[in-house]
Amino acid sequence: MALLVVKAAVLLHYQLVNHTLFGTVMAAKTPRLKPIAKQSAEHQATDYLRSCIISGAIKPGARITEIDLAEQLGIARGTLRTGLNRLAAEGIVVQTPYVGWQVAELSSKDIWEIWTLRGSLESLAASLAAKSTDPKVKKAIHEAYENLSKACSNGSRKRIDECDFELHRLIVESANNSRLSKHYQLVQQQIRWVIASTNIELHENTDTILQQHHDLVVAILDGNPEEASRCAWRHTEYDGDRLVEWAEGREKIESLA
């Protein structure tokens, strides 16, 4: 009888210990994380070239030689060519038969077409975003504006351009209209290019960049769709018209040279 009691006690102790250890292991288990996406050489090269073009590191009209550039980037010419074709579809490089590749040039007409299309898409998006009753939408837009504010305070032009575009992209996304988003995606790299060019050529003081977005963000956060739409159009029109004038002046000088 005593032996049975001992065996039962040992078994109970084993079960308790096993349960405790198992519970501890389960409690300490690392939460499931998303795998890190691996980018192909083609993707990395495309992103790098796009960044260089939009930032102005590679100037508009610059010739692109496949052999030299592929060697500099350490990738195959075929990989580079695939990336260039993608950038051509985005409208920031062009290929001329029997001549080769070159960075696209933003003419005054190009700028006018981009800003008028952008203004139409973003004014609609701002109106729809202002109608949203999802607090997460308003919070995300507010945070994006704060990020732009911090970037303007720090004075990093690259970071300002990134935050500037991200705020506008987020407003379009917040409209919750998939067809609007798809149309915006078709020209978003050209819009990024225009934003960066505007910030470089027309905004010597970064404070003016932030001020231009203030009324737009306030209208969206206040849930005023009509005012949000007007602010979005005024913002793109003001910078768009000024950038067109700048481009026309440059074209006039080039024609006289």
Side-chain angles (χ1 to χ4, degrees), residues 106-116 244 247-248 251:
L106 284 175
S107 68
S108 56
K109 188 175 187 301
D110 292 329
I111 294 169
W112 178 82
E113 289 182 356
I114 293 170
W115 89 248
T116 51
V244 167
E248 287 174 341
E251 290 164 359

Side-chain angles (χ1 to χ4, degrees), residues 73-202:
L73 297 177
I75 58 177
R77 286 182 64 186
T79 301
L80 174 62
R81 193 176 299 119
T82 302
L84 288 171
N85 279 313
R86 180 175 175 183
L87 295 179
E90 294 175 358
I92 59 178
V93 301
V94 293
Q95 184 181 30
T96 305
Y98 309 109
V99 175
W101 298 93
Q102 71 178 66
V103 178
E105 295 187 79
L106 284 175
S107 68
S108 56
K109 188 175 187 301
D110 292 329
I111 294 169
W112 178 82
E113 289 182 356
I114 293 170
W115 89 248
T116 51
L117 176 58
R118 175 193 175 193
S120 299
L121 296 174
E122 290 190 6
S123 58
L124 172 58
S127 174
L128 294 175
K131 292 178 182 179
S132 175
T133 57
D134 186 350
K136 293 181 181 178
V137 168
K138 304 296 177 68
K139 180 182 178 182
I141 292 174
H142 178 264
E143 289 177 350
Y145 178 75
E146 288 299 311
N147 289 337
L148 177 59
S149 177
K150 292 176 183 177
C152 288
S153 297
N154 294 334
S156 169
R157 285 287 177 171
K158 181 179 179 181
R159 181 61 180 158
I160 290 171
D161 293 343
E162 290 173 351
C163 292
D164 192 336
F165 173 71
E166 179 59 21
L167 174 59
H168 288 282
R169 188 202 62 77
L170 184 60
I171 291 172
V172 172
E173 183 181 295
S174 299
N176 196 28
N177 184 315
S178 61
R179 286 172 173 78
L180 172 59
S181 295
K182 287 179 180 178
H183 279 80
Y184 193 80
Q185 288 169 8
L186 291 174
V187 292
Q188 69 176 9
Q189 300 306 333
Q190 296 177 53
I191 290 173
R192 284 182 64 193
W193 200 6
V194 166
I195 287 174
S197 299
T198 300
N199 290 345
I200 291 172
E201 302 297 341
L202 304 180

